[in-house]
Amino acid sequence: MNVAVVVQRYGAQINGGAELHARYIAEHLSRHVKVQVFTTCARDYITWKNEYAPGEETIGGVRVVRFPVAHPRDPRAFGRHSATVFDEIHSIGDELAWLESEGPTSPALVRHVARSAASVDWFLFFSYRYYHAFHGARAVPSKALLVPTAERDAAAGVEIFSPVFRGVRGLMYNSLEERALINAVSGNQDVPGTVVGVGSEIPDHPQAGRFRRKHSLRRPFAIYVGRIDENKGCREMFAHFQRYAAAHPRGLDLLLVGNAVIPIPDHPRIRHLGFLEDQDKYDALAAADLLIMPSFYESLSMVVLEAWALGKPVLVNGRCDVLKGQTLRSNGGLYYETAEEFAEALYMLEGAGPVNAILGRNGREYFKRNYAWPVIERKYLEMFDRLRKEPARRMEPLPGWFARRRRGLQPAAARVAAIPAGPAPTGGRA
């Protein structure tokens, strides 16, 4: 069997959620089937500037073929198109212009996908909202599987994506909440899909003591791992933590791991270490009392799964359906919606408290049941086998020239806002 993973960026140094997800899936599926990766020459997710050379290379034992991006993103044009599509009555043409402006726009990549249809059994398209996934799935609908990595944001309400959700052969969802969102916005309940997510490369014996010695850490701490960005809830986290620190002078410190795109408060109990290599990151998680994940929008948080794999409880933003739902299903942490709830939960989850070890153990068992690599690999292979026995689906064609320009589509943000929010029932799996 020959499987092609098609993703917007790819590389050992690219640690974005969807891109890392794609790399892990490619490398693990390569143990069972022939895998290759089709991607762009972009490295930066904001500009989509061509930085890698086009052509072939091997990464982690997997063949990777890169294609140039036709033009970098123009932030002002993308902002204008986003305002139109998300907040105004608009047309299909407006949505296609938004997609083109978002990038990474690589017609060469899409043409290669189409040319490869005869030799590839299944294409795995990562991240529904990008040019390569939309046009690539339409180029090879009978062999297209989509890993949407959808969050509850306005992009999910863009109308052009609904026919793709209904027309691909199958969907590999990250969570029950993601599946419910896509089902609601597109009516694709009859399309084969499974909640699978992704595993992680957890070392057998991370060394908490080694990390503390290396970075001269003596006090207990909570950890945040990821891009330090307002869109990830970090500004609110800083405000909540400073209130907690004032109320609990002997409480936890806050350790930040990741690249910062917003200012970090100058506070004696907040420390920023920047980007860490994997060994150091896992040592850091092992040394922490708990992980904080303040993001408002996630389809799946890999670092939350990594914390659970290491037996650490989590404190998550309760306004994110996915994070709240997984925390409830796992019983592996607590969630907050206000500064007061943040402070009380952080106090309860300190390592010296009675609930830390219990919730950490629950999280570890949840990870083993749902996100250990044998579980993930089996779900992909079972989906390939199922679809091989089922008839192909029909992808709805794009409307014609006049219909594309008819302004009558509801604002995408309003479409998403109309969908009931909240976590999936706790009785569900994953």
Side-chain angles (χ1 to χ4, degrees):
M1 184 184 299
N2 192 342
V3 174
V5 170
V6 190
V7 64
Q8 57 271 20
R9 300 184 297 160
Y10 195 91
Q13 289 76 42
I14 293 176
N15 290 298
E19 293 87 346
L20 186 60
H21 183 165
R23 179 159 64 86
Y24 282 169
I25 294 298
E27 291 175 357
H28 278 266
L29 284 181
S30 69
R31 303 173 181 180
H32 306 278
V33 299
K34 182 180 179 181
V35 176
Q36 55 189 324
V37 174
F38 302 152
T39 189
T40 73
C41 298
R43 182 171 182 173
D44 179 74
Y45 74 97
I46 296 176
T47 66
W48 302 119
K49 177 183 176 183
N50 290 313
E51 296 186 58
Y52 292 110
E56 296 186 22
E57 64 176 309
T58 300
I59 300 175
V62 177
R63 175 179 181 254
V64 178
V65 189
R66 298 187 187 279
F67 299 88
V69 176
H71 56 78
R73 178 188 287 172
D74 180 339
R76 289 176 295 181
F78 179 48
R80 289 195 303 271
H81 289 303
S82 296
T84 298
V85 168
F86 293 169
D87 302 322
E88 301 174 11
I89 300 295
H90 60 278
S91 68
I92 291 291
D94 292 326
E95 294 190 345
L96 291 170
W98 169 82
L99 182 72
E100 174 92 13
S101 70
E102 182 183 35
T105 302
S106 181
L109 170 57
V110 175
R111 288 195 296 269
H112 184 75
V113 166
R115 289 196 301 266
S116 303
S119 60
V120 173
D121 295 295
W122 302 110
F123 293 87
L124 285 174
F125 292 97
F126 276 78
S127 299
Y128 79 97
R129 64 178 291 163
Y130 294 120
Y131 182 97
H132 71 280
F134 176 82
H135 290 289
R138 285 186 163 279
V140 289
S142 66
K143 297 185 174 185
L145 284 85
L146 185 62
V147 186
T149 68
E151 302 170 353
R152 190 185 173 89
D153 60 12
V158 174
E159 181 63 40
I160 58 172
F161 296 131
S162 292
V164 176
F165 291 142
R166 294 191 293 266
V168 293
R169 293 294 304 278
L171 293 101
M172 311 302 283
Y173 296 107
N174 271 339
S175 67
L176 294 169
E177 288 77 19
E178 182 192 35
R179 182 171 66 186
L181 171 66
I182 291 177
N183 287 170
V185 80
S186 69
N188 75 333
Q189 288 86 344
D190 64 332
V191 180
T194 185
V195 177
V196 54
V198 64
S200 195
E201 305 301 325
I202 308 294
D204 291 333
H205 302 290
Q207 300 294 315
R210 174 172 59 195
F211 180 80
R212 287 188 171 277
R213 289 190 299 272
K214 180 176 180 179
H215 297 281
S216 300
L217 293 165
R218 294 177 177 82
R219 287 178 43 77
F221 62 88
I223 192 170
Y224 169 82
V225 179
R227 190 173 72 250
I228 301 166
D229 190 340
E230 185 165 7
N231 292 334
K232 289 292 186 179
C234 292
R235 196 179 301 279
E236 181 184 79
M237 176 180 69
F238 292 151
H240 289 353
F241 180 81
Q242 289 177 88
R243 291 184 62 174
Y244 158 83
H248 300 277
R250 296 185 178 182
L252 300 172
D253 290 352
L254 175 60
L255 190 71
L256 308 171
V257 173
N259 295 322
V261 297
I262 60 172
I264 296 170
D266 182 9
H267 190 281
R269 286 170 58 186
I270 299 177
R271 183 173 173 187
H272 179 215
L273 294 184
F275 177 81
L276 298 180
E277 297 296 335
D278 280 352
Q279 176 184 286
D280 227 10
K281 181 187 78 169
Y282 291 121
D283 286 353
L285 283 168
D289 281 29
L290 70 142
L291 172 81
I292 301 175
M293 178 46 65
S295 179
F296 299 98
Y297 306 108
E298 294 287 332
S299 68
L300 179 73
S301 172
M302 291 179 66
V303 71
V304 165
L305 301 181
E306 290 167 347
W308 280 333
L310 295 173
K312 300 295 176 176
V314 301
L315 176 58
V316 306
N317 191 333
R319 285 168 287 180
C320 176
D321 292 349
V322 170
L323 294 176
K324 183 177 180 180
Q326 290 200 305
T327 299
L328 289 170
R329 287 189 290 275
S330 66
N331 197 20
L334 301 175
Y335 62 88
Y336 66 90
E337 295 186 8
T338 66
E340 292 76 16
E341 291 173 351
F342 179 95
E344 287 303 310
L346 198 53
Y347 175 74
M348 288 182 64
L349 289 173
E350 292 178 5
V355 302
N356 180 286
I358 295 171
L359 297 183
R361 283 196 298 270
N362 292 344
R364 182 187 288 120
E365 290 305 312
Y366 180 76
F367 178 88
K368 289 179 180 177
R369 288 195 307 272
N370 295 288
Y371 297 103
W373 274 117
V375 177
I376 302 294
E377 294 165 15
R378 173 177 52 79
K379 287 185 176 182
Y380 270 90
L381 296 174
E382 286 177 350
M383 180 61 80
F384 296 151
D385 186 59
R386 172 185 172 180
L387 296 180
R388 186 174 54 83
K389 301 172 184 175
E390 295 184 359
R393 309 184 64 81
R394 176 181 176 273
M395 181 77 73
E396 301 164 37
L398 281 167
W401 191 91
F402 287 105
R404 291 188 195 189
R405 283 151 181 80
R406 188 178 303 123
R407 295 176 61 84
L409 298 182
Q410 186 181 11
R415 290 189 71 209
V416 174
I419 297 170
T426 56
R429 294 187 60 195

